């Protein structure tokens, strides 16, 4: 599409989502496809529709399903935190404050999970193997560590044992939200709360 119709990379996406609505009926002038006439565009429409229908990895429909699943697991994470009374800030709120790269959840007070300090939590609606974690996630998570300190990543569809066992240091990998007995919560002491309120009033 980019070559034959001289489309920009950004313009290809809408054509994949709606080939019969976005691919022109006739090739525009001064494009490589112009000499072939409307028949080529008809062929492109049919071929794109067929390719997208058979693409079970990166098609617009798959992207939509992936996004929906991701949102559902983020809701599950938020509900689990609320149930335990753990205060947090969402990714949307962090971005509104001006943070460019943020985890799904930033805890207002750190917790400890199985002896590991957790300041933030990222939710992944996927399965974690060494390829996924090292090549796609490690750099992203290190960015969170640099900004917010140690954190936790929940791979809801599972984590290969060897990857989970090696998750030492600043990023804890788990395949489910921890049980309450595995979590130690910090509490804001009354004195700290009064000082915090006093500081707000002084401002």
């Amino acid at each position: 599409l980019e070559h034959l119709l001289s489309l920009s990379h950004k313009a290809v996406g809408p054509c994949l989502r709606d080939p019969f609505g976005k691919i022109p009926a006739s090739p525009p002038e001064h494009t490589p496809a112009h000499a072939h006439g409307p028949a080529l565009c008809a062929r492109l429409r049919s071929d794109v529709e067929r390719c997208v229908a058979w693409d079970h990895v990166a098609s617009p429909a798959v992207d939509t399903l992936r996004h929906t699943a991701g949102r559902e697991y983020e809701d599950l994470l938020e509900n689990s935190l609320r149930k335990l009374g753990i205060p947090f800030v969402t990714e949307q709120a962090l971005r509104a404050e001006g943070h460019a790269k943020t985890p799904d959840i930033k805890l207002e007070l750190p917790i400890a999970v199985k002896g590991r300090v957790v300041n933030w939590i990222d939710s992944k609606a996927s399965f974690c193997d060494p390829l996924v974690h090292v090549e796609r996630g490690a750099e992203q998570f290190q960015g969170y560590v640099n900004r917010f300190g140690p954190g936790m990543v929940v791979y809801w569809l599972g984590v290969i044992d060897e990857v989970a066992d090696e998750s030492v240091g600043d990023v804890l990998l788990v395949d489910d939200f921890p049980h309450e007995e595995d979590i130690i919560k910090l509490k804001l002491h009354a004195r700290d709360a009064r000082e915090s309120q006093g500081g707000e009033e002084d401002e």
Side-chain angles (χ1 to χ4, degrees):
L1 293 177
E2 292 181 41
H3 171 67
L4 290 173
L5 300 179
S6 299
L7 297 178
S8 66
H9 182 73
K10 186 176 181 179
V12 171
C15 292
L16 297 180
R17 289 188 287 272
D18 182 17
F20 282 87
K22 298 299 182 181
I23 296 177
S26 297
E29 293 185 11
H30 310 299
T31 64
H34 182 67
H36 301 279
L40 180 58
C41 285
R43 169 72 183 273
L44 287 173
R45 288 174 168 183
S46 297
D47 286 351
V48 169
E49 182 181 51
R50 186 162 51 250
C51 288
V52 169
W54 282 94
D55 184 355
H56 302 300
V57 177
S59 71
V62 171
D63 285 342
T64 299
L65 291 173
R66 187 180 292 118
H67 176 77
T68 300
R71 183 62 254 178
E72 289 178 352
Y73 280 112
E74 288 173 18
D75 289 343
L76 176 60
L77 173 59
E78 293 177 13
N79 290 336
S80 297
L81 291 168
R82 291 191 187 98
K83 184 178 179 181
L84 294 180
I86 299 174
F88 63 89
V89 179
T90 64
E91 179 180 16
Q92 290 76 16
L94 290 172
R95 289 188 180 276
E97 294 175 0
H99 296 280
K101 296 182 179 180
T102 66
D104 294 317
I105 294 294
K106 169 68 173 68
L107 302 179
E108 293 189 356
L109 290 173
I111 61 174
V113 178
K114 299 181 179 179
R116 303 274 292 274
V117 175
V118 173
N119 293 284
W120 54 267
I121 306 175
D122 209 46
S123 172
K124 296 294 184 184
S126 60
F127 177 79
C128 177
D129 60 18
L131 175 65
V132 169
H133 179 63
V134 175
E135 296 192 6
R136 301 180 188 176
E139 184 176 349
Q140 173 190 3
F141 304 143
Q142 188 58 48
Y144 301 159
V145 171
N146 294 341
R147 292 173 179 82
F148 305 112
M152 179 174 72
V153 181
V154 185
Y155 282 100
W156 295 99
L157 302 187
V159 181
I160 292 234
D161 289 342
E162 64 185 76
V163 178
D165 293 341
E166 293 174 1
S167 65
V168 296
D170 294 324
V171 181
L172 173 64
L173 303 181
V174 296
D175 61 3
D176 200 354
F177 190 81
H179 297 293
E180 185 172 5
E181 58 266 25
D182 294 325
I183 298 175
I184 298 177
K185 295 183 287 184
L186 297 180
K187 294 183 178 179
L188 190 64
H189 291 292
R191 176 182 175 184
D192 295 331
R194 289 195 299 271
E195 290 177 355
S196 176
Q197 292 173 357
E200 292 177 357
E201 291 174 357
D202 292 339
E203 293 176 1

